[in-house]
Amino acid sequence: RPMTATEETAAPAGGYGIPPEGPRLPAATAVGSVHLQVADLDRTLGWYGEVLGFAAHREGPAAALGVPGGGRPLVHLRARPGARPAPRSGRFGLYHFAILLPDRADLGRFVRHLGRLGHDAGMADHAVSEAIYLRDPDGLGIEVYVDRPRDAWRTRGRELVMTTEPLDADDLVAAGGEAPWSGLPAGTAIGHVHLHVGDLARADAFYRSALGLDKTVWSYPGALFFSAGGYHHHLGTNTWSPGPAPAEDEARLLSWELTVPEGGADRAADRLRAAGHAVEPLPGGGWRAGDPWGTPLHLVPPAPPRE
């Protein structure tokens, strides 16, 4: 349901949102990769390759998915044979993870590609972005989207304006031109993660007050959105699922990453610990914490540049 658009103004750079009471996460904080449990690795790899255009590196019951031609993995898969699909009503944890394409032409080519496959998809215009929604073979939610330029974003008071309106698919496809979809383009990233939670006030306390994200959107029914550095959102949370947390034998989100530069991961871990949340070191560096509904978050430093 869209928010009523009244008294909207151009979004000033860094001039919107509600910051935490304490320190903020660094502005260059971003989403890293997501880790998923799936039932059938062969089936999932085939779907993620054909439909989304990922390249895969497989190691036994696990695989890492990234952009064809190189780059760091964006999605990690772990197989649990016979895992039950995610229910349509959702569980606490993943609502969707969102693949951010570099430009609008890429998303137009992707929409045409879906049409040629005969693949059903949801579509929405969110004012700050244009988005396509899919479910993978295990029922896990995926968004593929492109951002509008920041000078086109709007605010209402301190709040960024986000809507859910019909998407002009014909105009989007026209922007893709005649070039075919040939897999995820260089520059593709995980732009955000959207989670089912049990209570918005507790989500705000964990992700804003303790972790250090800004709250950017709070009038959207049943949802809050958070970010670092003035982005529209690196994290969405909603109360649209009755829960509970997924069972061990269900397809699910195993963890998601925030890459936090400038020593920010260590400082964020200290703040979470001070707020009474359990924080554990990760073997490769960084920290693991769980939100109040048990969804694991990894706080990690950015990977060093590839030579």
Side-chain angles (χ1 to χ4, degrees):
R1 291 176 289 175
M3 295 182 293
T4 302
T6 59
E7 300 181 4
E8 295 180 11
T9 60
Y16 52 84
I18 300 176
E21 293 78 10
R24 283 169 154 168
L25 289 176
T29 297
V31 179
S33 59
V34 296
H35 296 246
L36 307 174
Q37 177 168 281
V38 300
D40 184 322
L41 192 59
D42 288 333
R43 178 183 68 175
T44 300
L45 288 176
W47 190 91
Y48 276 67
E50 179 184 30
V51 176
L52 297 176
F54 276 107
H57 175 70
R58 180 170 181 170
E59 292 186 358
L65 308 180
V67 173
R72 299 181 183 91
L74 303 180
V75 178
H76 295 267
L77 302 174
R78 184 195 301 169
R80 179 168 181 145
R84 293 178 289 156
R88 295 289 295 185
S89 61
R91 297 282 195 232
F92 295 149
L94 188 67
Y95 177 53
H96 62 246
F97 68 91
I99 300 165
L100 175 61
L101 300 182
D103 60 50
R104 194 165 188 261
D106 295 318
L107 190 61
R109 287 190 280 272
F110 178 68
V111 172
R112 181 187 290 115
H113 164 70
L114 291 179
R116 289 172 175 165
L117 291 177
H119 202 292
D120 292 333
M123 301 183 182
D125 184 332
H126 293 307
V128 296
S129 63
E130 296 173 283
I132 310 301
Y133 292 95
L134 308 163
R135 287 188 179 272
D136 78 1
D138 289 282
L140 299 172
I142 302 168
E143 176 181 342
V144 183
Y145 77 111
V146 63
D147 283 333
R148 284 204 166 90
R150 289 203 181 197
D151 60 11
W153 298 2
R154 311 287 289 177
T155 56
R156 189 181 305 115
R158 296 288 302 180
E159 184 176 18
L160 189 66
V161 174
M162 287 176 57
T163 64
T164 298
E165 299 284 359
L167 181 67
D168 189 340
D170 291 339
D171 186 67
L172 186 60
V173 169
E178 298 301 321
W181 175 258
S182 56
L184 293 171
T188 297
I190 302 298
H192 66 265
V193 170
H194 195 148
L195 302 176
H196 290 299
V197 299
D199 180 271
L200 293 182
R202 293 176 71 194
D204 183 65
F206 181 86
Y207 287 108
R208 184 179 66 89
S209 299
L211 180 60
L213 291 168
D214 291 358
K215 182 164 57 177
T216 56
V217 179
W218 52 89
S219 294
Y220 205 98
L224 295 176
F225 297 85
F226 305 90
S227 82
Y231 191 52
H232 52 74
H233 68 294
H234 292 109
L235 171 66
T237 61
N238 71 64
T239 54
W240 305 333
S241 170
E248 291 292 321
D249 65 346
E250 288 182 342
R252 58 194 171 102
L253 176 69
L254 296 171
S255 64
W256 66 287
E257 294 177 352
L258 276 177
T259 62
V260 189
E262 305 162 13
D266 292 343
R267 292 192 294 272
D270 289 341
R271 292 196 301 274
L272 287 168
R273 197 178 290 112
H277 301 288
V279 180
E280 301 173 351
L282 291 168
W287 303 92
R288 173 188 172 96
D291 77 3
W293 302 275
T295 302
L297 167 64
H298 292 182
L299 301 168
V300 298
R306 296 173 66 91
E307 298 182 357

